[in-house]
Amino acid sequence: MSTSAAGQPLIPQPPATVAALRQAIRQIAPAALPAFTRELDQAADQSRQGSDLAPLQRFVAQWAVYVHIQRQPHLAAALRHWEDAAESGGALQARQAASEIGRLLDEAHAAIGLSAR
């Protein structure tokens, strides 16, 4: 991942489209591209099978939130910290970590104009 100057985002928040999100992930988190592609294929299959766009809409929203967080190193670091705490801590620490992760995700949803999870 590239570094940013003075806490600025690495890249601007891209539009919530598959192509724009793929390009952003390629820039800021290339290791996530296989998961992006796999989940896109699953969402597309589910949408086709159910004749429903909801799986694709959820996919785009999830990855827009991911990009929003990953393009800001301080948010990405905070998320990693709380994910690690959830895995390695006791029950109390896991509850606190879950709460903090939820807060980060809610703030990311709000920042990009999506309703909360």
Side-chain angles (χ1 to χ4, degrees), residues 22 31-46 59 62-63:
R22 180 184 287 120
L33 277 173
F36 179 89
T37 302
R38 182 179 59 255
E39 291 177 23
L40 173 58
D41 290 345
Q42 291 169 349
D45 287 346
Q46 290 171 355
F59 168 83
Q62 172 190 327
W63 283 93

Side-chain angles (χ1 to χ4, degrees), residues 12 15 17 20 23 28-29 37 39 43 48 57 61 80-81 84 86 103:
T17 66
Q23 179 60 31
I28 61 172
T37 302
E39 291 177 23
R48 275 191 297 274
Q57 292 168 332
R80 277 191 306 277
H81 166 78
D84 291 345
R103 183 186 58 76

Side-chain angles (χ1 to χ4, degrees), residues 26-102:
R26 188 175 288 124
Q27 289 179 279
I28 61 172
L33 277 173
F36 179 89
T37 302
R38 182 179 59 255
E39 291 177 23
L40 173 58
D41 290 345
Q42 291 169 349
D45 287 346
Q46 290 171 355
S47 288
R48 275 191 297 274
Q49 291 170 359
S51 298
D52 181 12
L53 290 178
L56 282 171
Q57 292 168 332
R58 281 190 299 272
F59 168 83
V60 168
Q62 172 190 327
W63 283 93
V65 165
Y66 176 85
V67 167
H68 174 78
I69 292 170
Q70 296 302 314
R71 70 190 189 88
Q72 300 178 76
H74 71 283
L75 291 179
L79 182 61
R80 277 191 306 277
H81 166 78
W82 289 115
E83 288 172 338
D84 291 345
E87 289 180 13
S88 62
L92 181 60
Q93 189 173 8
R95 280 193 298 276
Q96 180 184 9
S99 176
E100 290 299 321
I101 290 169

Side-chain angles (χ1 to χ4, degrees), residues 101-117:
I101 290 169
R103 183 186 58 76
L104 286 168
L105 294 174
D106 287 346
E107 289 175 1
H109 274 89
I112 59 177
L114 297 173
S115 60
R117 302 170 270 133

